[in-house]
Amino acid sequence: MNAPVTARAHTNIALVKYWGKADTELMLPQTNSLSLTLDQFYTDTTVTFDDQLTADEVTVNDQLLSPTAAKKVHNFLNLVRQQASRTSFARVTSVNHVPTAAGLASSASAFAALAGAASKAAGMNLDKTALSRLARRGSGSATRSIFGGFVEWEAGHDDLSSRAVPLIEEVTWPIAVVALVLDPHHKKVSSRQGMQSSVTTSPFYPAWKQVVVDDLDAIKPAIRAQDFTTMGETLETNAMRMHALTLSAWPPFSYFNGDTLIAMQMVKGLRAAGLECYYTLDAGPNLKVFCQTADVPAIQDRFARQFGSDNVIVAHPGPGIQFLNEA
Ligand code: DP6
C-alpha cells in the first residue's frame, strides 16, 4: 500500500467555450478554449493504491459509489495504472467543496484533482503540463483546472500536443464572477452528449469553429491589457453562440430555464444603469456574471433581491492544483 496522496483542484469557467470533440477516445477537442480558474469551488481527492483491494473503491462526499457510478473514475485509474505500470486497485475519497451544494459541481475540478492524486500515488511525478494532458482524459474542461488564473487549452492533434497553457497564472486584475444558482438539479443533457449532438447535427458547427478563432484573437490581448469591456463582450457573445448550437441541433435542446432569461435581462439592465457586467453559462441554467470587484456589492444585492442571497455566490480568480499531504 502506498501512502495516501491528496490533491486539491479548483473548477474553472470558460470565457471561450470548449464545445465538441475531434477524438472521443483521446478527448481531443475541435477547438482551443480559454478559462478562468475560480477560488470558491474546488475538489479534494485522496488516492491510495492498495494490494489488498479486489476492486477500485470510490467514495464521493461520504457516499460509496456503485461500480456503475464509479465507471468513469475506474477507467481513468486504468489509464494511470497503465502509464505507471502498476496493477493494484485504488481507494479514492473525494469531497466537493461547492457552496450550498447546488448544481455548480464540475467534472473539471474532480478530474484535475484525481489526475494529480492518482498519478502521484502511483509513483509518477508529472509536471503541470503532463498533468493537464492526463486530466483531459477524464474530462475536457479538467485540462484547464491544473493551472490557476487565465488558462488556454490548446486543442492539438494528438495526446502530446493537446494540453493547457497558462496565460496569466497570478491574476492581479480586480475582477469577480458572481455565480447565480438558478436550478440546483442535475442537467438533463450532459455536456458530453450535448456537444456531440452539436458537432454531428448543427449546421452552424463550422461557423462556431471560426467564432472560437476570432474570439481568442480578441480576448487574449484584452485580458493582457485588462480591457474589461472587450473581454466581457467577447465572453458573452461566445456563450450565446455556443448555446445557439444546442438550439440548432437535432433534436434541438436548451440549457436555459425561465430564470436564466430573467437573469440575462437583469445583466443588460445593470449595464444600462452603469454597472458593467457580462454573463456566461455552461451546460446548465446557472448564469455566471463577470464584473469588476468595486461593483460586486451592488450587483450581488440586485441578484440577491431577485433570487435570494443563498443563491448568489461571489468567486474570484483561483489557484492551480495543490498537493495537500505529500507522503
Ligand atoms: C460548456 O468538460 O464537462 O462547460 O469533456 O465530455 O467531460 P467532457 O465535457 P466537459 O464540457 C465542458 C463544456 C462547457 C464549456 C467549457 O468548460 O469549456
Side-chain angles (χ1 to χ4, degrees), residues 191-250:
S191 35
R192 197 157 293 190
Q193 287 171 280
M195 67 176 75
Q196 192 56 24
S197 155
S198 301
V199 172
T200 53
T201 70
S202 171
F204 300 161
Y205 202 81
W208 164 252
K209 289 173 71 164
Q210 188 56 44
V211 162
V212 170
V213 170
D214 295 345
D215 286 351
L216 286 168
D217 280 351
I219 211 165
K220 287 199 282 183
I223 289 168
R224 290 199 184 94
Q226 302 197 349
D227 172 353
F228 188 72
T229 304
T230 304
M231 180 181 82
E233 289 177 359
T234 308
L235 73 90
E236 192 171 294
T237 54
N238 184 271
M240 290 307 256
R241 287 169 185 182
M242 180 205 110
H243 286 273
L245 296 172
T246 75
L247 298 174
S248 55
W250 185 262

Side-chain angles (χ1 to χ4, degrees), residues 71-135:
K71 196 162 172 23
K72 272 193 196 174
V73 175
H74 174 66
N75 290 345
F76 188 83
L77 290 168
N78 282 343
L79 191 70
V80 174
R81 276 186 281 263
Q82 188 196 339
Q83 290 188 7
S85 307
R86 292 196 64 140
T87 51
S88 43
F89 289 108
R91 187 173 301 109
V92 176
T93 311
S94 198
V95 179
N96 285 316
H97 294 265
V98 181
T100 73
L104 292 168
S106 157
S107 58
S109 57
F111 278 101
L114 182 63
S119 62
K120 198 166 261 254
M124 288 191 283
N125 209 352
L126 304 180
D127 65 15
K128 281 187 171 181
T129 302
L131 276 179
S132 77
R133 284 187 198 106
L134 178 61

Side-chain angles (χ1 to χ4, degrees), residues 178 266 295-308 312:
V178 179
M266 287 174 68
D295 295 333
V296 166
I299 291 171
Q300 191 179 4
D301 178 64
R302 181 70 194 89
F303 287 120
R305 275 188 281 132
Q306 182 74 25
F307 300 114
V312 181

Side-chain angles (χ1 to χ4, degrees), residues 14 18-19 21 27 107 139-141 144 191-192 195 282:
Y18 145 57
W19 197 246
K21 294 177 182 63
M27 305 281 276
S107 58
S139 182
S141 51
R144 302 180 307 238
S191 35
R192 197 157 293 190
M195 67 176 75
D282 289 331

